[in-house]
Amino acid sequence: MKHKNFLKKLTAGILGFVMTLGVGAAGYAASASETKAAYVDSGPNLDLTTKSVSCNAYNTSTTYGDWIIVNGANNSNGWTYYKMGGKSATLSSNNPCYIYSTAGSTTQIDKVTVSIAAGSLSKSGMSVNSWGVYVYSNSALTTQIDYVSGGTITKNAGTFDFTPSSGKTWAKGSYFKVNWDLANTTTTNGIVCVDKINLYKDGSSPTPTSYTVSYNGNGNTGGSVPTDSTSYSSGGIVTVLGNTGNLVKTGYTFSGWNTASDGSGTTYAAGGTFNISANTTLYAKWVEESSGDSYKIVFANSANSNTQISATTRASTVISQGTDYVDEQPFSAITNAYYGDNKTSIRLGKSGTAGSLTISLSDSGSVTCSSFVVNCYLYNSSKAATLNVNSIGALSVSSTASDLTFTYDEPTEISSITFSSSQYIFINSITVNIGQAATKHTVTYAKGATDATGTPPTQ
């Protein structure tokens, strides 16, 4: 019995020793052989053990292959690692320290390893406040897609593993930045010593060869989402579909598509494009409906009919939302425009010649508009004519004064309205409908040199 108990203890001890060898400390890779067995080496990689990299002064930017090292310590001796962070006098104004890739990954990436050499934190007073790996979708490193924090760095050598925080892969063409926020109260350069940075692809999961785009109504109460049946290759260009199924949501206005259901992601309008790098869902973006905010411009002319409108510089006048405003010439750009019948309209074009005019708008830079309503009529009923507003589309004009409504697919910020006609038509009034809830809106536009009938309301 004693021998059996001894064997059990010995076996348990050996097993525990093996398990201790096979599982590294938190944040470390178990072993180099295990990494190679589970993952396939990808790239671009950084190997600083070759002694071929040097830096003659702290706070310089050093290019090494497809990577750039920023705020490394003096490495003129060509060590088999690279020291990050300077002495207290220089670190205070040159921190954080980081290394980033200038080339996108050649495959999808499932793991990044950062090897730290022995000799880090060599002096009392050196410390790491925080560090980790940032992941970006563009070379300018302005579109961040992930961040994974690093484990505890000690004086001993160790390799740290970083995997996607979402559990999904980082797409092919991703860019990486290893970032250290360091502290140093000593006069010695070099706080963290870096050996290598390697990018790996999971060898058990092949790189997707194609991606799909799906649309989600995101709480719609009617209509149907569009369907995109295209299979896109990685990096392919996706053209965003419009609200072709007439999605509606009670109390809300459709306002395009967003990569997040709460609207916090990237918003795309119909016809917008993006490069796809993963299966993508676009969610309908809904904006709470307005309370019917609008303003209306009514024309009153002091000049005789058929007098061409001058394009002289106008003074600026501000009018309040919800109030009809009468003015003679609220225009900032004019082509073949004339005073109309009975001094109550504006005429666009002349026989056989197109005309146009532009009204400049301002509401803290622009007005969010959902539609325009233009009351107009055709002078010569034997001539077919159309009216175009802000390139939304052209509508046929009748010989009887009637309202033409030009509607955006979604509320759109604009700074001006341009009206153009293919023939000889008269415009009596223009109503601009605000596309979002607000307590007050204003419009600023160029006013005629001569005061018109009516006085601009004050704010």
Side-chain angles (χ1 to χ4, degrees):
M1 291 294 293
K2 291 182 179 180
H3 292 294
K4 289 181 180 179
N5 290 336
F6 172 75
L7 289 174
K8 287 181 180 179
K9 292 179 181 180
L10 178 61
T11 302
I14 294 173
L15 178 60
F17 177 67
V18 172
M19 291 178 66
T20 302
L21 289 177
V23 180
Y28 289 87
S31 68
S33 60
E34 186 178 13
T35 297
K36 291 180 180 178
Y39 293 90
V40 176
D41 195 11
S42 183
N45 295 323
L46 178 65
D47 185 354
L48 298 169
T49 65
T50 60
K51 296 187 178 182
S52 59
V53 61
S54 63
C55 171
N56 294 323
Y58 178 69
N59 187 27
T60 59
S61 175
T62 304
T63 301
Y64 190 61
D66 292 320
W67 296 77
I68 291 180
I69 305 168
V70 179
N71 292 341
N74 187 319
N75 274 3
S76 58
N77 293 329
W79 299 307
T80 58
Y81 46 80
Y82 206 99
K83 291 185 175 182
M84 302 300 298
K87 56 189 178 182
S88 57
T90 51
L91 181 68
S92 59
S93 59
N94 298 292
N95 192 39
C97 308
Y98 51 94
I99 302 174
Y100 65 95
S101 62
T102 58
S105 59
T106 56
T107 66
Q108 72 181 57
I109 298 299
D110 298 285
K111 182 172 70 172
V112 174
T113 64
V114 180
S115 299
I116 304 297
S120 297
L121 306 176
S122 60
K123 300 284 185 179
S124 176
M126 294 180 174
S127 61
V128 179
N129 296 327
S130 63
W131 76 293
V133 174
Y134 289 91
V135 187
Y136 302 88
S137 62
N138 63 331
S139 59
L141 308 187
T142 55
T143 306
Q144 181 183 328
I145 58 177
D146 204 357
Y147 173 76
V148 184
S149 60
T152 302
I153 296 176
T154 69
K155 295 181 180 180
N156 301 319
T159 300
F160 294 82
D161 291 347
F162 297 84
T163 57
S165 60
S166 64
K168 299 180 180 179
T169 186
W170 290 311
K172 177 182 177 181
S174 296
Y175 294 79
F176 298 84
K177 180 173 78 172
V178 184
N179 190 86
W180 291 269
D181 180 7
L182 303 172
N184 192 3
T185 60
T186 77
T187 57
T188 301
N189 278 316
I191 302 169
V192 173
C193 303
V194 184
D195 267 344
K196 297 179 181 180
I197 300 174
N198 291 88
L199 311 183
Y200 293 98
K201 171 186 175 297
D202 186 349
S204 63
S205 57
T207 303
T209 56
S210 62
Y211 299 109
T212 59
V213 177
S214 58
Y215 291 81
N216 186 299
N218 202 17
N220 62 299
T221 55
S224 58
V225 296
T227 300
D228 187 344
S229 58
T230 304
S231 180
Y232 296 94
S233 60
S234 180
I237 298 175
V238 176
T239 300
V240 177
L241 302 178
N243 186 12
T244 56
N246 299 316
L247 288 174
V248 293
K249 181 178 180 180
T250 304
Y252 292 82
T253 299
F254 178 79
S255 184
W257 305 98
N258 195 277
T259 54
S261 60
D262 62 358
S264 62
T266 302
T267 297
Y268 295 103
T273 61
F274 64 93
N275 295 97
I276 193 168
S277 58
N279 291 332
T280 302
T281 299
L282 295 178
Y283 298 87
K285 184 176 180 180
W286 300 103
V287 177
E288 191 171 0
E289 289 180 351
S290 70
S291 57
D293 292 345
S294 66
Y295 56 80
K296 184 177 181 180
I297 300 169
V298 181
F299 300 111
N301 311 313
S302 61
N304 293 325
S305 299
N306 298 320
T307 302
Q308 188 166 5
I309 299 174
S310 170
T312 57
T313 302
R314 314 298 178 190
S316 179
T317 299
V318 176
I319 66 173
S320 294
Q321 165 272 327
T323 305
D324 291 356
Y325 180 53
V326 182
D327 189 25
E328 182 181 69
Q329 300 173 163
F331 312 124
S332 55
I334 304 169
T335 302
N336 287 330
Y338 299 81
Y339 298 115
D341 292 349
N342 302 319
K343 300 183 180 181
T344 59
S345 61
I346 294 296
R347 191 185 96 206
L348 293 186
K350 55 185 178 181
S351 181
T353 305
S356 68
L357 57 85
T358 299
I359 297 177
S360 297
L361 305 174
S362 175
D363 181 5
S364 300
S366 62
V367 172
T368 302
C369 175
S370 59
S371 65
F372 301 104
V373 178
V374 183
N375 186 272
C376 59
Y377 63 96
L378 177 63
Y379 174 73
N380 188 341
S381 59
S382 65
K383 301 279 189 180
T386 58
L387 176 66
N388 187 296
V389 178
N390 275 31
S391 300
I392 300 175
L395 297 178
S396 298
V397 182
S398 169
S399 58
T400 303
S402 57
D403 289 335
L404 298 183
T405 302
F406 299 81
T407 304
Y408 284 106
D409 288 339
E410 60 193 67
T412 302
E413 288 193 2
I414 59 173
S415 58
S416 64
I417 318 172
T418 298
F419 307 87
S420 61
S421 67
S422 58
Q423 279 288 347
Y424 197 164
I425 68 171
F426 291 91
I427 298 177
N428 294 322
S429 65
I430 302 163
T431 301
V432 181
N433 294 317
I434 305 303
Q436 62 182 21
T439 56
K440 182 178 179 181
H441 293 268
T442 60
V443 56
T444 302
Y445 60 78
K447 184 180 182 299
T450 304
D451 287 339
T453 303
T455 303
T458 58
Q459 295 190 77

